[in-house]
Structures are given as structure tokens and as C-alpha cells.
Amino acid sequence: MGQSLGSELDGRTVRALDGGDRLLLRLDDGLLLTVRNDFRLRHGTEVEHFYPALGLPPSGTLRHLADAVITTATVTPAGGLELTFDTGHLLAVAPDPAPGGPPHPWQLSSPTGPLHTGGPNGTATP
């Protein structure tokens, strides 16, 4: 729990993706990144927006994240999450937008429990 998000994620490979009402990135060593809030995936000048609450198939542009390696992971000042991959893609998760939004826009967990959570009001808690 004491490690920074970057040290937890940098160099990890996406082993599998799942969709539904959230995006699940299954990473090395059993780590699981769950994204419940709206996010965008950028590659060069192309940007695609995703809305998990509307249903999310792990296909299309998202399939480019399969076997990609996270090169940087950053929590934004507002509590969003930005991941850069070795494929050149940038995944940017919006912070908690308002009351009624997902209670945790994103969460990183291990098999033993949560490690980092983007909390309400844009806070990240280890």
C-alpha cells in the first residue's frame, strides 16, 4: 500500500481486457485496474471516447491495449488517471464528475485487496 501508483504500474503488461459496465485491465502479477468512469483513448491525433455506463465491449480500438506495456502512470491533480503505453496510446480516465457518478472512477487492486483508488471529489487514496 505504500508504493506510488507509478511504481505499481510502470512496466506492467496488459494480459487481458474485459468490458461490460466497466473496463478491466488484467495486468502482470494478478493486478487488476478497474475503470468505471468515462475515459478516452488517444493515439496520435485520433481520440476515441468511452462511456462504460452504456456498456463496453473490449474490442475496436481497445484491443490495441492487449499485450501493451504501461510506460507511465499518473494521477492528475483532479484525481483522474492517465496511462501511457508502449504502443503510443494514452488512456485518460476522468475524475469523479459529480454526485451520482461512480463512487470510484478507477481502482487498482491486487489479489489481496485495493492498492490505489480514485475517490469521490477527485482524490486518490493509497
Side-chain angles (χ1 to χ4, degrees):
M1 288 271 289
Q3 293 188 346
S4 73
L5 182 68
S7 66
E8 294 278 2
L9 289 177
D10 292 355
R12 303 275 183 179
T13 300
V14 177
R15 297 298 176 188
L17 294 120
D18 293 313
D21 64 348
R22 64 199 172 286
L23 173 65
L24 298 174
L25 298 178
R26 297 182 190 282
L27 308 171
D28 294 327
D29 300 324
L31 291 181
L32 179 66
L33 180 65
T34 304
V35 176
R36 294 186 183 279
N37 208 10
D38 301 346
F39 66 94
R40 68 181 189 276
L41 186 62
R42 187 181 83 207
H43 188 261
T45 59
E46 296 180 19
V47 178
E48 190 168 351
H49 296 268
F50 295 89
Y51 307 96
L54 300 176
L56 182 70
S59 59
T61 308
L62 287 175
R63 74 182 184 283
H64 295 291
L65 299 182
D67 298 319
V69 176
I70 298 170
T71 56
T72 59
T74 307
V75 177
T76 68
L81 176 65
E82 293 184 352
L83 301 177
T84 305
F85 296 88
D86 65 344
T87 59
H89 289 86
L90 170 71
L91 180 108
V93 181
D96 185 29
H104 302 291
W106 58 269
Q107 182 176 57
L108 177 66
S109 56
S110 74
T112 59
L115 299 172
H116 297 274
T117 300
N121 305 318
T123 59
T125 55

